[in-house]
Amino acid sequence: MSRKTKRWLLQLQILLALLALASFVFYQQVGIAGSNVLTPVQQQLLKTVSNSTNYSMSERKTFQRIMPVNDDLLEKVFITVKTTGRNHLTRLPVIIKTWFQLAKKQTWFFTDTNDQHLSQVTGGHVINTNCSATHSRRALCCKMSVELDVFLESKKKWFCHVDDDNYVNVPALDELLKMYNPIGDWYLGRTSTPKPLQIRTKFQGYKTTFWFATGGAGFCLSRALVLKMAPISGNGKLMAIGDRIGLPDDVSVGYVIEHLLKIQLTRVEQFHSHLEPMRLIKKDLFNEQLTFSYSLDNDPNTVDVDGFNEITDPTRFLSLHCFLFPEASNCVEK
C-alpha cells in the first residue's frame, strides 16, 4: 500500500470519527438517546411523507412502520380534559368511547364533583379539583391551576390540555410532540384572534400585548416551561393572574408565558375549536389534525364526516373516530 493511500485512509478514519463525535454531541444536547430515534433527515422525510397527499394512507402507514420510532414517547404525555359535573353524562361518554381508548393511561378528567361511575369507567382517572362548578373566570383558572400542579407531580414530560368538547387525534399528537424536545420551553397551540390580544391591567397604566393559545382547541406545554411558570402561577396563583387581567384560564396562561416569561407561542394550526367552522376541514386532511370540536347550539357546528346518523352521533365524534380507525370495535356495526 502506497504512502499516499495510507494517508488517505487515515484522513478518512479521522473524518468518520469526527462525524461520530459530532453526532453524539448533537444528540446529547437535544436530550435524545437510544437506537430507535429518528435522525433529523428521517424526521423530515417521515413528516414529508405523512403530510403529502401524493401518498396513499396505506403507503404512509407502511413507511412509518419501517422507520425507527420512539414508541414510548406518548407515555411521557399528561393529557387533561377539563369538564364539569353537568357534562359528565352529556359530553364525556363519546370521548370515553372513542379517543380515550387510545390514551387511557395518559388522560385524566379534571372536574368539580365526585362521580363514582365516571371514575369506574376511566380506571380512576378522575380528579375532583374542588373548584366551583360555574363557568366563571375564577372557576376556570382554578381548574387549570390544579391541572398544571398535578402534571408536575406526575413527572411527565408534556402537558396537553383539552376541553370536554374536543376529540384528540392521539397518533397525530404523538407525531407532533416527537418534533420538539421537552427540555426546551415549548408553548404549542392555536390562536383564536387575528392579532395579539391587547389589555390594560388593573395595576399597570400601559397596554400589554401578547398571543395566547385557545384552550377550546387544546394546547401543549413542555415540562421545562411549566417549571418556569410554577413560581408565578403554581399552587393556585393562576387565579390571581386571572383576577389581575380580568380574563379566563387560557388567556391567563398566555399572559404568564408570553408577557411575563417572554416565551413565544409556537402556532400549530392543526388544533381546532368550535370557534371555527368544523365543516371546512377536508376529509383527506383528517389524519393530520390534532383536535376537533363541536357546538350543538341553534346552528350546529360539527365536522363533515359520513357514518352514524345524527341522532346516534350528534357530535360526529363517533363517526370521525371510525373514519380514522375503522378497525375500532365500536365501528364494526356502523
Side-chain angles (χ1 to χ4, degrees), residues 154-208:
S154 75
K155 308 301 182 183
K156 300 287 187 176
K157 301 300 183 183
W158 285 101
F159 167 85
C160 292
H161 160 92
V162 295
D163 281 349
D164 58 8
D165 57 0
N166 282 130
Y167 178 96
V168 178
N169 186 353
V170 175
L173 181 64
D174 189 13
E175 288 300 318
L176 171 77
L177 297 181
K178 285 178 182 177
M179 299 170 61
Y180 302 91
N181 194 310
I183 66 172
D185 298 325
W186 292 110
Y187 179 26
L188 311 175
R190 181 188 181 116
T191 64
S192 60
T193 56
K195 296 181 180 180
L197 183 66
Q198 190 175 81
I199 64 172
R200 188 189 299 274
T201 66
K202 296 179 181 179
F203 307 104
Q204 296 172 322
Y206 60 89
K207 292 181 179 180
T208 300

Side-chain angles (χ1 to χ4, degrees), residues 204 206 208 210 232-233 241 244 252-263:
Q204 296 172 322
Y206 60 89
T208 300
F210 60 94
I232 304 171
S233 56
I241 297 291
R244 181 190 305 176
S252 298
V253 168
Y255 176 83
V256 171
I257 296 173
E258 278 236 347
H259 177 64
L260 298 181
L261 295 178
K262 307 301 181 185
I263 296 168

Side-chain angles (χ1 to χ4, degrees), residues 11 103 113 124 144 170 188 191 203 244-245 254 269 295 322 334:
Q11 290 173 341
T113 186
M144 181 66 73
V170 175
L188 311 175
T191 64
F203 307 104
R244 181 190 305 176
I245 65 177
E269 298 300 319
S295 173
C322 291
K334 178 171 67 68

